[in-house]
Amino acid sequence: MIKKLTFFSLSVVLLFTISSCEDFDDALGSNLSESEIVAGLKEALVVGTDTSTSILGATNGYLKDEAVKIFLPKEAQPMLENMEKLGITNLIQPLIDQTITSMNRAAEESAALDSTKVIFKDAITTMSITDGYTILTGNDSSATVYLKGRTYSRLLSNFSNIISPVLNKNLISGVNLSTEELYTKLINTYNDGVSVYNLAYTFNPEKQLDKITSNSLAEHATGKALDGLFLKVSEEEKAIRKDPVARVTSLLERVFGSVN
């Protein structure tokens, strides 16, 4: 019985290997070897992640890119909608601007870390032939999905280890106020305005406004920073797949040119 199972298992592996080779040949219609294909995919991922981290890790990489810029948490949206009504725009707009700038600066600092690139490269190094075939014949974001599945938890910890301390350190030397404390002050200022506003509608409660309950700014910023990072990686992947100009090495051109 054991021998039969062993023979069956080996047969499945052999058939899968042969099938994988045929799939690669069908997918490429070229003389590229499996090792060249996987090497090309790894190179594409290295290029894509290095480019993305370099772009986002530069000053204003997050802050000046509307596609990845980190804004206030969803919980703070009523504040943006009602601050003019409450007459506190001039009071809290500078606090909003400073909070947003600080979150994006922390994200930029995280993206620039060498350890961020190392996490990506660890996942790329372990890519198998099966992974390579799935990525090569998949949609425009297959490589990004592969990377996200293998790096997200480590990147979350990596980014959090930078973003949280940055948002908890003093904004200005000698001033005992961090970004987290600034955000708390921002929420409290808004809630004070709501209290005054609601007094005018004591007998008309349907017109009263709700106060905001503050959550962790660091948790929000970390999640959004990673969303932005993988968005950039996805954009780089699409460019390499579709635009010959983005294939910056001969290996990338051979592999992705064959697919096209």
Side-chain angles (χ1 to χ4, degrees), residues 96-109:
I96 292 173
D97 294 340
Q98 181 60 66
T99 301
I100 289 174
T101 297
S102 295
M103 286 192 295
N104 284 276
R105 290 285 182 252
E108 290 159 9
E109 191 172 333

Side-chain angles (χ1 to χ4, degrees), residues 60-251:
N60 293 327
Y62 276 92
L63 186 63
K64 297 299 183 181
D65 186 339
E66 291 298 313
V68 297
K69 183 177 180 180
I70 303 171
F71 293 94
L72 293 180
K74 185 178 180 180
E75 70 197 38
Q77 190 59 39
M79 177 168 51
L80 303 178
E81 297 170 352
N82 297 320
M83 61 184 181
E84 186 173 346
K85 182 189 297 183
L86 299 176
I88 58 173
T89 301
N90 292 337
L91 185 61
I92 68 172
Q93 188 62 59
L95 303 180
I96 292 173
D97 294 340
Q98 181 60 66
T99 301
I100 289 174
T101 297
S102 295
M103 286 192 295
N104 284 276
R105 290 285 182 252
E108 290 159 9
E109 191 172 333
S110 298
L113 290 172
D114 288 339
S115 54
T116 296
K117 292 183 179 181
V118 168
I119 290 171
F120 277 131
K121 288 178 180 177
D122 284 348
I124 293 167
T125 301
T126 59
M127 181 191 297
S128 67
I129 290 175
T130 304
D131 293 329
Y133 175 72
T134 300
I135 292 170
L136 188 66
T137 59
N139 59 36
D140 287 348
S141 61
S142 292
T144 305
V145 171
Y146 166 83
L147 278 178
K148 189 171 185 179
R150 285 160 178 77
T151 63
Y152 192 87
S153 60
R154 286 182 66 190
L155 286 172
L156 185 66
S157 176
N158 202 53
F159 272 51
S160 180
N161 287 340
I162 291 297
I163 290 177
S164 184
V166 167
L167 296 184
N168 279 286
K169 72 180 182 181
N170 291 347
L171 284 167
I172 304 172
S173 180
V175 178
N176 188 27
L177 183 68
S178 68
T179 304
E180 287 280 13
E181 291 167 334
L182 178 68
Y183 183 60
T184 298
K185 180 179 179 180
L186 176 60
I187 297 299
N188 289 340
T189 301
Y190 172 78
N191 286 341
D192 289 343
V194 168
S195 294
V196 174
Y197 179 86
N198 286 347
L199 284 175
Y201 295 98
T202 301
F203 301 105
N204 201 0
E206 68 273 7
K207 290 189 176 182
Q208 291 183 344
L209 301 175
D210 293 327
K211 292 184 177 181
I212 294 174
T213 301
S214 176
N215 292 320
S216 168
L217 196 62
E219 184 178 341
H220 163 75
T222 301
K224 290 298 182 182
L226 288 179
D227 288 346
L229 176 59
F230 282 107
L231 175 63
K232 284 298 177 188
V233 171
S234 177
E235 290 176 354
E236 292 299 321
E237 177 185 355
K238 290 175 183 176
I240 291 172
R241 286 181 183 273
K242 295 183 177 181
D243 185 0
V245 175
R247 300 167 193 157
V248 294
T249 69
S250 59
L251 181 58

